[in-house]
Amino acid sequence: CSTGGTQTTVHETIRVTSGTYDGGCKRFNAGSELGDGGQSEGQDPVFRVENGATLRNVVIGTNGADGIHTYNGANLDNIYWMNVGEDAMTIKSSGTTTVSNIEGYDADDKFFQINAASTLNVTNCIIHRAGKALRQNGGTTFQINVSFNRCDINTMEEGVFRTDSSSSRASLTNSRLHDAGSVCIGSWASCTQSG
Ligand code: DGU
Ligand code: CA
Ligand code: CA
Ligand code: CA
């Protein structure tokens, strides 16, 4: 996808509940009904992907609102966030979320926000300019299992992975970091970087 595709304004969250939603590389820009893409909580997502469904070939435009929410597992492939809104992607309920071939810029605070016990596997990612690449919801102690493989993480104000849970696990492999702060922040049971 390039950022120059057809633009569409999203006035109501697009729900992907089964199968595959192929965005055809259109640029989906949040309408003001969803939020303004700033740091206020409670904005709506542009997409909500559920129950192992797949979202692919999507550009989220410069109003990113609350990005993409996943419930009960989901697959995201080839997603480009031009300017991350409040955050880029949130896991809202348990399951495995698989994220491949993504690129995102300018998350004022978090890129991935994890609000439920879950597994997140990320391959081929570019995350430039964020507070942190991933945050387990502050003060929560459930277990998350996170892997990032083949990522390019550049210019994090704070770092890459942050949790308050002593049962959560994270790994970063085969990746390039530049000015990325601390890789592991908080009380991870395991947090490793290799390759
Ligand atoms: O506990 O859950 O910032 O999902 C407070 C809230 C807050 C979340 C989170 C998010 O942590 O709204 O964006
Ligand atoms: Ca938030
Ligand atoms: Ca932003
Ligand atoms: Ca959010």
Side-chain angles (χ1 to χ4, degrees):
C1 298
S2 76
T3 56
T6 309
Q7 294 197 51
T8 177
T9 302
V10 178
H11 299 288
E12 187 179 310
T13 299
I14 299 168
R15 263 179 93 161
V16 183
T17 57
S18 66
T20 297
Y21 182 103
D22 188 330
C25 291
K26 283 205 294 268
R27 193 206 290 191
F28 295 82
N29 201 46
S32 56
E33 302 89 340
L34 304 185
D36 64 3
Q39 284 299 293
S40 60
E41 299 288 352
Q43 298 181 61
D44 289 328
V46 180
F47 289 95
R48 165 180 170 143
V49 188
E50 308 170 31
N51 302 334
T54 298
L55 176 68
R56 65 164 47 108
N57 302 330
V58 161
V59 177
I60 306 231
T62 51
N63 182 359
D66 210 44
I68 299 171
H69 290 181
T70 76
Y71 289 77
N72 310 328
N75 302 296
L76 308 183
D77 178 36
N78 199 25
I79 315 287
Y80 189 131
W81 287 259
M82 293 177 66
N83 182 342
V84 172
E86 201 279 314
D87 46 35
M89 192 209 88
T90 306
I91 293 182
K92 300 284 278 187
S93 72
S94 295
T96 297
T97 296
T98 302
V99 175
S100 316
N101 309 315
I102 64 140
E103 179 168 3
Y105 300 87
D106 297 301
D108 282 352
D109 187 9
K110 297 95 167 242
F111 193 87
F112 291 111
Q113 166 83 29
I114 313 298
N115 290 354
S118 57
T119 297
L120 172 64
N121 296 319
V122 179
T123 319
N124 290 330
C125 82
I126 298 172
I127 300 176
H128 286 194
R129 299 185 298 274
K132 36 211 165 277
L134 179 137
R135 174 67 157 127
Q136 175 169 352
N137 204 4
T140 61
T141 55
F142 52 75
Q143 182 177 344
I144 67 170
N145 295 296
V146 176
S147 73
F148 281 25
N149 185 38
R150 299 185 186 277
C151 286
D152 179 330
I153 299 176
N154 190 313
T155 315
M156 299 296 104
E157 263 172 41
E158 190 182 358
V160 180
F161 298 134
R162 180 164 179 182
T163 192
D164 299 329
S165 171
S166 54
S167 56
S168 291
R169 308 176 76 87
S171 79
L172 177 66
T173 52
N174 306 313
S175 293
R176 298 193 230 188
L177 303 183
H178 178 80
D179 193 14
S182 307
V183 173
C184 304
I185 306 162
S187 51
W188 295 98
S190 166
C191 181
T192 59
Q193 181 191 358
S194 64

